[in-house]
């Protein structure tokens, strides 16, 4: 457990730590982890407000996590609750005030909210003490709710959240909200770029790019754990990769509508034009000023390369599209990158993008059954895809499926 002095020191440094993270999803994970650490809480959740609903977005539970094999993750269903006084989180969002509850099973009959026992009954967990706080901006707009569960003493026994905890977490929530607003602004800018692409190519939706980015992060994390990377390094790279993966096809804004919106198969000439979107995407980030620019260019250029060297664009000059000296094939085309010549992020996003495209409905095809999509990934391991990454992808299927539920296509 942190001492009072350690909590104050941590709170002082919190803003700088959180502001180093730019991606909204990864930031929410970090906020929840830090909140639990501050008050030694066993579990917690974050709800993000969307109009009149609170969407259950992130959750952590140390007790349930300990029941899983090492390296595995808890998987939760995505759901929404109304912003009203009937639930604990809904009441906090409505009132804009925190609730510190000693035991959620012994609520006073006079309160309007109730505690849903469904999660406890399904998992065998027992929720007792709960501290729920609004995530409110400087204008008092509630953008979400932070809920932390089951404070523990230094012997691991469940205790109530103290008045000191409540005050400390109120400051924590204010700092976290500032970081959340900054991350939401970054996400909004990226999604606006995606909507520009969507105007040209209906396949490039916000749901699609969020799924591809989330799959990519899960795959990278599993790979990095296997390599023995530190948690700090993994978290930093996840943040960068997620934003870069969202922009994997941004170069399509430079491709003609005649080609982008063609419902049938491309001619060879049309396909050659379509391939140029990889270089157009890479050129958007050529004036590199950050690791994000490096990663975004790496993903945009390389996510159509194939493990067997038959992908594109291959070894080309970014500006001219011509083969680099010494990398021409006998017919004058650029030699493709093969195996680990393909940068890691490109190999990862290739898998995520193809899987999501196969499982999604398009104007020219219905969504495939998941089994058929997985059969393609398995069959093409070692030809199209990095076989090691395919193996890791299959080991994360439960999480992959939960991501598909979190980001459904809009009707």
């Amino acid at each position: 457990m942190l001492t009072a002095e350690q909590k104050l020191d941590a709170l002082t440094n919190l803003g700088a730590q959180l502001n180093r993270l730019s991606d909204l999803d990864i930031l929410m994970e970090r906020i929840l982890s830090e909140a639990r650490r501050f008050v030694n809480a066993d579990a917690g959740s974050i709800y993000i407000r969307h109009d009149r609903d609170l969407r259950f977005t992130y959750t952590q539970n140390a007790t349930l996590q300990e029941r899983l094999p090492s390296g595995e993750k808890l998987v939760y269903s995505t759901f929404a609750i109304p912003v009203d006084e009937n639930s604990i989180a809904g009441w906090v969002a409505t009132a804009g005030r925190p609730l510190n509850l000693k035991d959620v099973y012994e609520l006073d009959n006079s309160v309007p909210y109730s505690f849903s026992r469904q999660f406890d009954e399904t998992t065998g967990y027992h929720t007792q003490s709960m501290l729920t706080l609004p995530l409110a901006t400087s204008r008092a707009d509630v953008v979400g709710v932070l809920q932390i569960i089951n404070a523990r003493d230094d012997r691991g026994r469940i205790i109530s959240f103290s008045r000191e905890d409540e005050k400390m977490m109120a400051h924590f929530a204010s700092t976290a909200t500032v970081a959340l607003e900054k991350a939401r602004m970054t996400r909004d800018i990226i999604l606006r770029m995606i909507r520009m692409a969507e105007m040209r190519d209906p396949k490039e939706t916000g749901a699609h790019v969020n799924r591809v980015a989330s799959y990519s992060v899960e795959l990278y994390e599993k790979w990095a754990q296997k390599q023995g990377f530190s948690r700090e390094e993994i978290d930093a790279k996840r943040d960068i990769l997620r934003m870069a993966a969202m922009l994997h096809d941004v170069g399509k804004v430079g491709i003609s509508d005649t080609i982008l919106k063609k419902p049938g198969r491309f001619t060879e000439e049309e396909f050659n034009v379509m391939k140029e979107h990889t270089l157009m995407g890479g050129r958007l980030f050529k004036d590199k000023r950050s690791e994000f620019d490096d990663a975004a260019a790496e993903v945009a250029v390389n996510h159509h390369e194939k493990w067997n060297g038959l992908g594109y664009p291959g070894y080309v000059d970014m500006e001219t599209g011509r083969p680099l000296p010494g990398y021409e094939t006998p017919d004058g085309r650029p030699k493709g990158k093969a195996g680990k010549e393909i940068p890691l992020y490109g190999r990862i996003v290739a898998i995520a993008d193809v899987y999501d495209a196969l499982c999604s409905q398009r104007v020219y095809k219905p969504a495939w059954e998941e089994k058929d999509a997985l059969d393609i990934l398995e069959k093409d391991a070692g030809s199209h895809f990095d076989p090691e990454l395919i193996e890791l992808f299959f080991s994360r299927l439960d999480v992959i499926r939960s991501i598909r539920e979190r980001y459904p296509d809009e009707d």
Side-chain angles (χ1 to χ4, degrees):
M1 291 180 66
L2 295 178
T3 66
E5 185 177 351
Q6 287 173 326
K7 288 179 182 179
L8 287 172
D9 288 342
L11 192 59
T12 301
N13 297 323
L14 180 67
Q17 293 174 17
L18 295 183
N19 279 315
R20 282 197 288 269
L21 296 173
S22 299
D23 181 74
L24 183 62
D25 290 63
I26 291 171
L27 176 64
M28 285 190 287
E29 286 186 29
R30 181 64 176 273
I31 286 171
L32 194 51
S33 297
E34 291 297 318
R36 290 176 48 231
R37 186 173 74 91
F38 262 75
V39 290
N40 199 33
D42 185 57
S45 302
I46 290 181
Y47 298 79
I48 294 296
R49 184 170 186 164
H50 293 262
D51 297 323
R52 295 299 302 167
D53 285 336
L54 287 173
R55 293 184 186 174
F56 182 81
T57 307
Y58 276 99
T59 191
Q60 297 169 0
N61 189 304
T63 294
L64 296 182
Q65 183 68 48
E66 288 171 1
R67 298 178 188 174
L68 298 178
S70 176
E72 295 301 310
K73 281 189 172 183
L74 292 167
V75 177
Y76 295 90
S77 299
T78 301
F79 62 89
I81 59 175
V83 177
D84 59 28
E85 295 188 341
N86 295 327
S87 66
I88 294 170
W91 187 94
V92 167
T94 302
R97 301 199 308 271
L99 271 180
N100 188 353
L101 303 172
K102 180 178 180 180
D103 191 334
V104 293
Y105 280 83
E106 296 182 1
L107 296 177
D108 191 287
N109 290 332
S110 64
V111 300
Y113 48 82
S114 62
F115 170 69
S116 172
R117 304 184 182 194
Q118 183 178 356
F119 177 80
D120 283 8
E121 291 170 352
T122 301
T123 63
Y125 188 72
H126 181 75
T127 303
Q128 186 171 314
S129 58
M130 180 183 289
L131 178 57
T132 308
L133 304 106
L135 296 171
T137 68
S138 58
R139 297 182 303 176
D141 295 328
V142 175
V143 297
V145 169
L146 172 64
Q147 194 168 74
I148 44 179
I149 297 166
N150 287 355
R152 294 187 178 274
D153 63 15
D154 54 5
R155 296 174 62 181
R157 296 172 300 190
I158 298 175
I159 57 174
S160 302
F161 291 98
S162 67
R163 179 62 180 159
E164 178 191 337
D165 289 336
E166 190 176 331
K167 290 180 179 179
M168 187 73 68
M169 291 310 300
H171 288 294
F172 179 99
S174 296
T175 302
T177 303
V178 172
L180 276 174
E181 284 294 277
K182 177 187 170 188
R184 287 183 75 167
M185 190 180 302
T186 302
R187 173 69 61 84
D188 286 346
I189 291 170
I190 291 175
L191 288 175
R192 286 188 184 103
M193 294 178 69
I194 300 304
R195 280 196 287 273
M196 287 170 56
E198 188 179 350
M199 290 176 187
R200 310 294 312 288
D201 181 3
K203 299 187 293 294
E204 288 305 299
T205 65
H208 167 67
V209 298
N210 268 310
R211 289 192 300 263
V212 169
S214 297
Y215 301 153
S216 298
V217 163
E218 288 299 329
L219 190 47
Y220 169 76
E221 183 174 18
K222 189 74 172 178
W223 176 88
Q225 288 171 346
K226 187 177 178 183
Q227 306 305 310
F229 287 14
S230 70
R231 186 72 250 173
E232 183 177 349
E233 183 174 4
I234 292 173
D235 286 345
K237 299 297 185 185
R238 287 167 75 235
D239 183 56
I240 293 166
L241 172 59
R242 197 183 193 289
M243 293 189 299
M246 290 182 74
L247 295 169
H248 64 281
D249 271 340
V250 71
K252 287 184 178 179
V253 296
I255 303 298
S256 161
D257 281 356
T258 306
I259 294 174
L260 274 181
K261 297 181 179 179
K262 182 177 179 179
R265 295 180 66 86
F266 294 137
T267 65
E268 182 177 0
E269 181 180 0
E270 289 169 337
F271 187 48
N272 286 335
V273 172
M274 185 65 174
K275 290 178 181 178
E276 293 178 10
H277 81 274
T278 55
L279 300 180
M280 290 178 180
R283 288 175 197 142
L284 289 173
F285 304 99
K286 67 178 181 179
D287 297 323
K288 299 183 178 70
R289 295 184 177 87
S290 66
E291 278 192 80
F292 166 69
D293 289 335
D294 288 331
E298 179 178 310
V299 167
V301 172
N302 293 287
H303 71 283
H304 283 293
E305 298 287 1
K306 294 184 178 181
W307 187 256
N308 59 12
L310 299 180
Y312 64 87
Y315 287 99
V316 298
D317 181 281
M318 284 286 295
E319 294 301 323
T320 66
R322 298 192 190 98
L324 292 173
Y327 288 96
E328 304 94 340
T329 61
D331 60 0
R333 298 186 181 189
K335 178 179 178 291
K337 298 169 188 173
K340 293 188 177 179
E341 295 172 358
I342 307 166
L344 174 66
Y345 291 170
R347 304 198 309 268
I348 287 174
V349 175
I351 296 170
D353 188 30
V354 169
Y355 171 78
D356 194 67
L358 293 176
C359 291
S360 301
Q361 183 175 339
R362 297 287 187 253
V363 292
Y364 53 85
K365 76 168 187 68
W368 286 28
E369 293 293 329
E370 185 193 47
K371 178 184 181 303
D372 296 330
L374 294 176
D375 285 347
I376 288 290
L377 295 187
E378 190 170 34
K379 177 177 74 69
D380 288 349
S383 57
H384 188 158
F385 307 113
D386 180 335
E388 178 189 11
L389 291 177
I390 288 291
E391 183 180 342
L392 296 177
F393 182 89
F394 274 79
S395 75
R396 274 284 202 259
L397 273 180
D398 54 348
V399 180
I400 297 296
R401 289 167 180 147
S402 73
I403 290 168
R404 284 174 57 195
E405 291 181 10
R406 186 185 304 165
Y407 298 109
D409 287 315
E410 295 182 5
D411 296 330

